[in-house]
Amino acid sequence: MATSSYQNDLLGLDLTLLAAPVVSSTSDLDLLGLEILETPAKLLPSSYTNDLEGLEFSEAPATDTSPSCETDLERLDVLEPARAGMFSAYKTDLPGLDVKEVAPSPMEYTEEVSPLSEDSEQEFEEVKATPQQKAAKTKLEDKQKFEKWRLQHAKIMTDEEIKIRQQLVPDESLSIRELMRKNQPQKITAPREYQLELFERAKMQNTIAVLDTGFYYIHHQEKVDSVTLVFQQYEFLKVNLDQPIDCFCGEMGVDDWSKEIWQKHLEKNMIILCTAEILNRCLARSFISITQINLLIFDEAHHAKKGHPYASIIRESYITEEDPAKRPKIFGMTASPVDVRSDFGQAAKELEVMLHSQIATAADLALLRTSVSRPDEGVLQYAKPQYPYSTRLCQEMEARYGHMKTLSEIFKTSRNATSELGEWCADQLWSYAMAEKEAFKLERKIEKTFDNERNRKPGEMFDAELRDLREAQTFVKSWTFREPVMEVNSLSSKALVLWQYLNLIYERPTNARCIVFVKQRSTARLLGELFVRIGSPHLRLGILIGTRQGNPGDVKVTFKQQMMTLHKFKKGDLNCLFATSVAEEGLDIPDCNQFCNSLPTDRLLQGNDADLDAALMQALNSRTFTVPESGARLTYSSSLDVLGQFVSRLLFTEFCCDSRAWKTIAKRSAAFEACILLRQRGHLDEHLVSTHHKRLPAMREAHLALGMNKSSSYDMKVKPSIWQDTRGSLPESLYMTILELENPQNLGRPSVPIALLTRTKMPNLPCALLHLQVNASSNLIYSSLQDSFQTPKTTLSRLNAFTLRIYKDVFNKTFEWNESAMSYWFAPVIKGFRSMFPEQSPEAMVDWAIVDYVAGNEAWNWNIERSADEIQDRYMVDKWDGSRRFFSIKVLPDLRPQDPVPSDAAPHKYMNTILDYTVSLFSKSRKLALWRQDQPVIYAHWILHRLNWLDEYTEKEKKVQKNAYVCPEPLLFSALPASVAAMAYLLPSAISRMESYLIGLEVCDLLGLTIGPDLALEAITKDSDNTQKHLQEQIHLQRGMGKNYERLEFIGDCFLKMATSISIFCISPDNDEYEYHVRRMLLICNKNLFEGAIDKKLYEYVRSVGFSRRTWYPQGIQLLEGKGFKKSGEEEHSHRLGAKTIADVCEALIGAALLSNDGSGGMDMAVKAVTAMVSSPDHDVAQWADYYKLYTKPEYLLRSPNAAQMNLAVQIEQKMGYRFKYPRLLQSAFLHPSYTSSSTGGIPCYQRLEFLGDSLLDMACVNFIFHRHPDRDPQWLTEHKMAMVSNKFLAALSVKLGFNKHLRYIGQAVEFQNRNYVTDLEEAEQESNGARDYWTTTKSPPKCLSDIVEAYLGAVFVDSEFDYSEIERFFNDHVRWFFEDMSIYDTFANNHPVTHLHNLLTLSFGCSKYRIMASTIPNAAGTEIDHQVAVVMIHGEIIASATAASSKNAKVKASGRAVEALNGLAPFQFRAKYGCGCTEQDVQGVNIGELGTAI
């Protein structure tokens, strides 16, 4: 779009320069969208939205994406360092895509449960990384292929490549510009005689060629902006000229080009096409001189009048060159030399004067007519049509509903249709008008009418009219519509003649094309429907009408649909169009033809020299300012442009200048004086270009992303510090923590609670869920008693003996006797201990009888005299095989030791006899052993060697046989009662979980946070190598660790964003939004969190290893017998962690702090956590209330509001229920950035408040979805949160709340975009039948509508003195209703191109070997702006690519193109095409994060 609001410069030196006209400031921008895809050298500015491509570029620099979007830099797969603030506005939580180093596989604790063997007690060992190494090799190969591809495609694609690519894409999927390019103009091989005639004339003198459309170039059939013509003519000239040629428009970022850059283009190209505004600016700023141009060609030359850039070029640059010989030749082209309905002769003379040219056309019009194919003209006669009348349907409708004003226009149109088209069309019109969609529009119209007349009309009338409308709709639906009959009345005489004529033309297959012009849009639609029914089979119909949607029953047509219709008509897919006057655009005007025919024989108008001299004198008399150093020229008309570009770079000051009679002149006068002052003070250089640039934050280019996959080795805490801190002496008293099962019956056998006795009191700990049997579980309860009891040395020795016996008999471990080195002791608890609370001492709850028996006896001695009852319910141990332990059930009197082993017995090495089955000695020892043959046979329960009760039973464990048949003599009967042993088996899991809780509490103490042990442990739990990767099977999953940090990190990240936003907003009230984003980024980036965590050694507390069979034992005492006895009691342990994992744990701890306390307490603790994590003076607060203490009310806030601001506050209070104390603050929330604070009394635009409100709304949405869906993983939460905070939803909410009516802005573009979106949204809501997701069906909205919702929330927050409950109230009142059922937004989340591609490949095709990679294509020629290119690679083959200003947008585009390329393939076709042999296991390891998702 080339308007005066563009800050562009110019081109064209010793070469031919073709300028295109400016037509409309609100022209369709979709044409530009493809340029960024196909020609990396051309880049769209960041302030435009391209609806066709689905892109939204916000107001950040072109190499950045919008700073208001908090996405994740780590997910960006950028192979080269980002430029110009790539990371300046982003904080990322998602994983990095393309890590250049592949970390070695971490060392992990591993275990393989073997129900029958203690060999499962494995040592720490490094997991082999062969799969990872293979993946690393593949990654490296893919990178090399991509880099090679990138280098090959760094240059602009050739025309042939573009053409080939376009042929592969369906026409419907192409943009408007692609359609133009696909319809490549034909090469002119032999000029026509009339063309040569005009050429010879143009060589001699300046000429304006007047020819019918199509005689000298292909003209588009729409009124399009000059940018469109630039591209259109560039394609035409490339085909027909062999000289270097290029084209430029304002959207290519030419605003900031220097004279040197233009010189490069001028030296490189002989021909340059550009918009007129670019040429005008370059001439005005002396980037080039008019004397350096040989030829100026003006397309649509009739626009050269008044303030048009064509006229400015002539007035300010052309005629001011005193030497006519140095002026360039001028050649103008137009189908009509004038576009007014006044005196054509005078208008033509004025055009000749303005362009210093003479109008000419072909000398022989007959020759011209024979040279160019023209449509045949003929006359068809038809009988006089009948007067309009009402059909039977119309009469019935009139009788019932004729009183309804809403239907009056339909009645009128229907009656007129009987005359013009016939009864069938008249009736058909009612079916269109009463369709469901149209009826909703009529209802809305009625509602609006009654809203305006509410005080004069009762509500009953409104209800009655709505009821009548619905009855009318039902009546029309029930009407029987007959098929059209080719006779009078059913069809009009005119329609019948047309039918006869078209049937003659299309009686047989033919190449004939026909356009039938009609006056009304409804006529085109009705005729189209009619001839579909009655036309020849060889008639291929289409309709071509404007984009404006008018009366009820009308059809909505987009500009692209118009283009597609014309494209199909040209190709021959359609051969007949019913069209309104929109198809006449660009055709010659009859009056102009008549004027041309009256020209003199030589086709000249004489006598324009005197008028040209007058125009020259007028230009010279106008006030100007010339820079002596360069010759740059400042005029009244150019001053606004110069000042506009200066202000866009640096807000300066206000200037008061002389007043003039007209506002326009006054504005230009003020701008002119301001520019002179700026030049005098050195703020404008010799070319009138600003010497200042927007100050960008110093850290905007800081690389703050962290690689998720790269890991390092860190020390790891295995035991809580409390054990080591209290060991070393004999305790005089002990505290008791009772371990008991909530549902002991689920253990499957009797058990008793066990007391854990410690030197210090244990905190109250949450329960631990233990899986006791298949499908049977119970919580293990930790009951910490308040009081201690005295432990003299003898008592301590008894407890020590009991504890060591448990380790020996149950776990086959013999530890040294060292009471002072013990961390804790065990003791059995008496039955009914709870009835003793709280009167009895903890000492009274210990079953001392059992303690003493166990301490005094190594075993229970069996002999042949023992009765069956005595043997029953005993705990037995195989003395030679530590893995074989049994609970005795009963004696089997019918079996003998030499009997065969029953078939249901668990397998063992020796299965000959029951006695053999019992003995585990090796063969030589077995021969020497002598056993009683008269001993009984015991039916026993073989105890599963299962220590990790925190995890569910594996399939292998479920299948283990537990029945055993043994003899007592070879076995050891433990002194431990079976009930105590049964409970003792749970101690490893109980101790392991308790110690994890204690380590979690320790990290909270380190940070000064009060967090519950359950949330503290969850925040530091990393249960797999890829915990932070979603939608995949976890690698090296540590089973039984409980919840990992993912969900807490999700909500903690959001609070971190909000907390830092508030702090920065408070301490830097004068910074702009960009500075806010950069400062916040420095606080919340993973790099900052990681570095702070390293300083605090938080890595030691991360739980990356699940239950270990070895480490649950106490440290500090020496192991004498058992696996691992050669190692010392104290060991150092380490684990491998990714840097991002450590940063994520920081955010998870913030989330845990937020959730640990209800109400403001949670906020206070979370604020404290943020301060601890970010370690920066930009966030140095200890509680929520401290934020408001930081805030200083700006001066504009405290000024007295005017009446308009007071009225705005009253309106908002009525709508929203909140009364503003500071109406000027509310006004700021609705001020568009197009307003300057100087024009609003110092009130800033909404951007600062939007920055604050964005984070507040984010927090409210995350808080809702987090608690509403407690079992959903962060990937699901993130994807569905997208809907809640999307521009689409917030813009719809803005309209629903009426905020759009209060938005103040400057510029018609904003008004146009908002109005169109509101119309689209209202229709979507009306057609939704009450669906809550109606807003998802609309087109992309203007971002300003969503911004003002966030700005309003920021204003409410500040006005309420930082009362967050007001934000929650807003959410509950106005947002929550839309998202009560999140399932309706599953499609919204899954429609993200990257997510869609991931699901398509993994779920539909079962493929895992694919990647998205992005990199930079540097320095598109002359632009000094880098492009990002992204590719989708499947099994090493690039299947789709795209370019954009950021890698994020490039990946989104490339993913969308890949989805298009893959759609329709069957799985077997996909595998054959791409050589895919991926297995299901491969697919389960795929992470969507590695695709570079923009979620």
Side-chain angles (χ1 to χ4, degrees), residues 341 388 682 694 779 886 956 1125 1171 1246:
R341 297 292 181 181
K694 285 187 177 181
N779 280 322
F886 310 91
K956 183 178 180 181
F1125 74 92
T1171 299
Y1246 61 60

Side-chain angles (χ1 to χ4, degrees), residues 78-83 87 100 147 150 1414-1418 1428:
V78 181
L79 301 182
E80 298 182 6
R83 291 169 52 93
F87 301 110
K100 298 188 178 180
E147 186 64 13
R150 185 184 72 86
S1415 185
T1416 301
I1417 296 181
Q1428 298 294 325

Side-chain angles (χ1 to χ4, degrees), residues 937-1208:
V937 173
I938 303 171
Y939 172 59
H941 175 87
W942 191 333
I943 300 173
L944 181 68
H945 197 79
R946 172 179 170 83
L947 301 184
N948 185 10
W949 304 89
L950 297 167
D951 186 25
E952 295 182 5
Y953 275 69
T954 64
E955 291 301 318
K956 183 178 180 181
E957 289 173 327
K958 292 177 183 179
K959 299 175 182 179
V960 171
Q961 272 284 12
K962 300 177 183 178
N963 296 328
Y965 300 86
V966 296
C967 298
E969 186 179 11
L971 302 177
L972 172 70
F973 284 77
S974 174
L976 294 171
S979 58
V980 174
M983 190 67 183
Y985 271 99
L986 306 182
L987 286 176
S989 296
I991 297 298
S992 178
R993 180 54 53 87
M994 182 181 70
E995 290 180 337
S996 294
Y997 281 139
L998 294 175
I999 291 174
L1001 292 176
E1002 282 185 18
V1003 74
C1004 295
D1005 292 338
L1006 175 69
L1007 300 171
L1009 305 177
T1010 302
I1011 299 176
D1014 52 343
L1015 290 171
L1017 176 57
E1018 183 179 342
I1020 60 174
T1021 297
K1022 175 183 182 292
D1023 60 0
S1024 68
D1025 288 359
N1026 55 337
T1027 293
Q1028 59 273 72
K1029 299 181 182 180
H1030 308 288
L1031 297 183
Q1032 68 172 64
E1033 183 176 326
Q1034 292 176 299
I1035 300 173
H1036 298 149
L1037 174 65
Q1038 306 296 307
R1039 305 177 67 90
M1041 293 187 70
K1043 296 179 180 178
N1044 61 35
Y1045 63 69
E1046 290 178 313
R1047 281 177 54 88
L1048 290 179
E1049 184 261 338
F1050 171 73
I1051 195 170
D1053 168 72
C1054 187
F1055 188 89
L1056 174 64
K1057 172 186 171 182
M1058 180 183 71
T1060 51
S1061 298
I1062 297 172
S1063 178
I1064 291 171
F1065 178 85
C1066 292
I1067 64 180
S1068 305
D1070 297 325
N1071 285 351
D1072 60 23
E1073 185 193 20
Y1074 188 35
E1075 180 77 25
Y1076 282 164
H1077 278 285
V1078 173
R1079 292 181 66 176
R1080 181 175 68 187
M1081 171 202 64
L1082 295 175
L1083 294 182
I1084 69 178
C1085 68
N1086 286 337
K1087 184 177 181 181
N1088 183 51
L1089 297 177
F1090 168 73
E1091 291 174 348
I1094 293 298
D1095 291 339
K1096 300 177 181 69
K1097 297 185 177 181
L1098 293 188
Y1099 50 78
E1100 293 185 355
Y1101 300 89
V1102 176
R1103 303 291 86 201
S1104 63
V1105 177
F1107 174 81
S1108 171
R1109 291 174 172 271
R1110 191 170 67 83
T1111 59
W1112 80 269
Y1113 297 108
Q1115 290 184 344
I1117 55 175
Q1118 183 68 37
L1119 178 63
L1120 303 178
E1121 293 181 6
K1123 199 170 184 67
F1125 74 92
K1126 293 182 180 180
K1127 297 184 179 179
S1128 63
E1130 296 289 346
E1131 293 184 51
E1132 295 295 330
H1133 300 286
S1134 64
H1135 55 171
R1136 298 194 69 87
L1137 298 174
K1140 187 175 184 301
T1141 294
I1142 298 174
D1144 287 346
V1145 167
C1146 294
E1147 294 176 329
L1149 284 167
I1150 296 172
L1154 177 66
L1155 300 177
S1156 286
N1157 301 274
D1158 295 331
S1160 61
M1163 288 285 199
D1164 287 343
M1165 195 55 59
V1167 169
K1168 192 175 182 180
V1170 171
T1171 299
M1173 297 304 177
V1174 300
S1175 303
S1176 169
D1178 278 351
H1179 191 282
D1180 189 16
V1181 291
Q1183 57 185 352
W1184 184 266
D1186 292 344
Y1187 287 131
Y1188 190 65
K1189 296 176 184 177
L1190 288 176
Y1191 181 65
T1192 301
K1193 296 183 181 69
E1195 183 182 353
Y1196 85 87
L1197 199 69
L1198 302 175
R1199 295 178 188 171
S1200 298
N1202 58 32
Q1205 292 158 358
M1206 291 291 291
N1207 180 259
L1208 174 62

Side-chain angles (χ1 to χ4, degrees), residues 613-824:
D613 293 338
L616 175 60
M617 291 302 299
Q618 182 180 0
L620 293 175
N621 290 332
S622 299
R623 190 176 178 195
T624 62
F625 171 78
T626 303
V627 181
E629 296 88 344
S630 65
R633 186 182 180 91
L634 180 72
T635 65
Y636 265 29
S637 60
S638 66
S639 59
L640 286 172
D641 177 53
V642 173
L643 185 61
Q645 188 184 51
F646 174 81
V647 172
S648 70
R649 294 189 178 187
L650 178 69
L651 187 61
F652 192 61
T653 184
E654 297 182 37
F655 292 88
C656 298
C657 305
D658 61 330
S659 60
R660 297 297 177 98
W662 298 282
K663 182 185 294 186
T664 302
I665 300 298
K667 285 183 178 180
R668 293 181 177 181
S669 172
F672 186 86
E673 299 296 338
C675 290
I676 292 177
L677 288 176
L678 290 172
R679 172 59 188 158
Q680 291 173 351
R681 298 176 185 178
H683 299 298
L684 294 176
D685 65 12
E686 66 274 14
H687 295 288
L688 300 178
V689 176
S690 174
T691 59
H692 300 275
H693 298 276
K694 285 187 177 181
R695 182 175 60 87
L696 299 178
M699 293 298 293
R700 68 189 184 279
E701 296 186 15
H703 188 95
L704 303 175
L706 293 174
M708 183 192 68
N709 293 331
K710 186 175 182 179
S711 61
S712 300
S713 181
Y714 300 95
D715 291 340
M716 177 182 65
K717 274 184 173 291
V718 177
K719 295 290 183 181
S721 300
I722 189 173
W723 303 145
Q724 184 175 358
D725 293 343
T726 57
R727 290 196 302 260
S729 62
L730 297 179
E732 296 180 358
S733 62
L734 294 174
Y735 288 86
M736 180 182 291
T737 300
I738 299 176
L739 312 179
E740 61 173 326
L741 293 173
E742 184 178 32
N743 303 109
Q745 68 277 6
N746 288 347
L747 185 57
R749 64 174 301 104
S751 64
V752 296
I754 290 181
L756 179 74
L757 305 174
T758 57
R759 291 178 171 85
T760 58
K761 182 183 180 299
M762 290 292 100
N764 293 321
L765 301 177
C767 299
L769 181 63
L770 302 183
H771 300 274
L772 304 176
Q773 297 188 85
V774 178
N775 300 324
S777 60
S778 173
N779 280 322
L780 177 73
I781 301 173
Y782 300 91
S783 300
S784 179
L785 304 188
Q786 185 68 31
D787 298 327
S788 63
F789 67 93
Q790 296 300 312
T791 54
K793 188 173 182 179
T794 55
T795 300
L796 193 62
S797 296
R798 293 152 67 194
L799 293 172
N800 202 61
F802 179 84
T803 302
L804 294 180
R805 177 57 57 188
I806 286 181
Y807 290 135
K808 173 62 176 176
D809 287 1
V810 178
F811 304 108
N812 199 28
K813 302 288 185 185
T814 301
F815 288 97
E816 67 171 328
W817 184 283
N818 188 346
E819 295 166 330
S820 62
M822 293 287 286
S823 299
Y824 46 78

Side-chain angles (χ1 to χ4, degrees), residues 229-238 245-247 273:
L229 294 179
V230 167
F231 293 141
Q232 184 185 51
Q233 294 170 6
Y234 174 69
E235 296 300 326
F236 179 81
L237 292 177
K238 277 201 306 179
I245 183 172
D246 210 338
C247 66
L273 293 96

Side-chain angles (χ1 to χ4, degrees), residues 491-511:
L491 300 180
S492 69
S493 58
K494 184 190 292 187
L496 285 172
V497 169
L498 180 62
W499 170 71
Q500 294 168 356
Y501 183 74
L502 292 179
N503 272 2
L504 288 175
I505 295 176
Y506 297 104
E507 180 180 4
R508 296 180 179 276
T510 176
N511 292 326

